[in-house]
Amino acid sequence: DAKGSTWEGGMREPTVFWWPEHIQPAVIMDVGSTLDLLPTFASLCGGKLPADRTIDGVDLSGVLLHGESSLRKEMVYYHGDEVFALREGPYKAHFKTKTDFVGQQEPEIHNPPLLYNLEHDPAEKYNIADANPEVVQQLHQRKQEHEAGVKRVPNQLSLR
């Protein structure tokens, strides 16, 4: 689908890092997020992250400088303040879907969640939930654990 959705077509983007004499040209297929920019840039410049808050990002400097694997093994896909999907390793479960921010008014709730293996199906065309109930259960449990650990704050976009 398109921007504004939690489908891969709305979320998956190429990113370019350029730092002559430090980052060697490469194509890296590991998972990263804009959440990872703060800890990565802090690490690259020798800075320290704030200790008074939870940092959701991971340091990707090892990926960029040494070709290591990404430390990000999970991605939580929000739409507004709700978890719509969760990826762990190659698997992604959609609990709710919405095609974009403005067209579809109410999200579609999926029970059981839709399940895709993004390594084999990055276009998310083949729902494999029926054949993998243990993976669906694992991702559902991981979603509940994530939500239990979230400290809700006022919506920053609605503050004026």
Side-chain angles (χ1 to χ4, degrees):
D1 207 18
K3 281 293 175 202
S5 77
T6 54
W7 296 97
E8 288 299 288
M11 302 300 272
R12 189 178 283 227
E13 298 180 14
T15 304
V16 176
F17 288 89
W18 181 74
W19 190 12
E21 299 179 26
H22 295 278
I23 298 176
Q24 298 302 311
V27 175
I28 299 166
M29 300 300 289
D30 283 359
V31 177
S33 168
T34 54
L35 297 170
D36 303 330
L37 295 178
L38 174 64
T40 301
F41 293 160
S43 174
L44 290 173
C45 69
K48 295 199 183 293
L49 294 172
D52 64 341
R53 66 200 75 188
T54 299
I55 303 295
D56 292 325
V58 299
D59 177 7
L60 298 177
S61 61
V63 177
L64 298 172
L65 300 176
H66 309 296
E68 298 170 1
S69 294
S70 173
L71 297 175
R72 177 166 294 288
K73 303 302 179 204
E74 173 183 276
M75 190 67 221
V76 180
Y77 298 76
Y78 276 85
H79 192 287
D81 62 353
E82 290 184 75
V83 174
F84 270 42
L86 187 138
R87 176 181 180 172
E88 191 170 64
Y91 294 105
K92 181 177 176 186
H94 284 273
F95 305 98
K96 295 181 180 182
T97 55
K98 193 170 179 183
T99 56
D100 57 40
F101 282 118
V102 294
Q104 179 184 349
Q105 295 304 311
E106 295 297 321
E108 184 176 351
I109 299 169
H110 302 285
N111 190 11
L114 307 175
L115 181 68
Y116 301 94
N117 182 325
L118 298 180
E119 288 181 359
H120 301 290
D121 181 22
E124 296 173 294
K125 290 185 178 188
Y126 305 102
N127 179 11
I128 59 171
D130 289 344
N132 296 278
E134 70 289 346
V135 176
V136 171
Q137 178 58 35
Q138 175 185 338
L139 293 178
H140 184 65
Q141 180 178 343
R142 188 62 200 104
K143 174 183 177 276
Q144 291 175 321
E145 292 168 0
H146 170 81
E147 290 174 326
V150 171
K151 180 180 177 186
R152 298 283 178 186
V153 297
N155 183 335
Q156 302 297 299
L157 298 175
S158 64
L159 296 177
R160 295 183 182 200

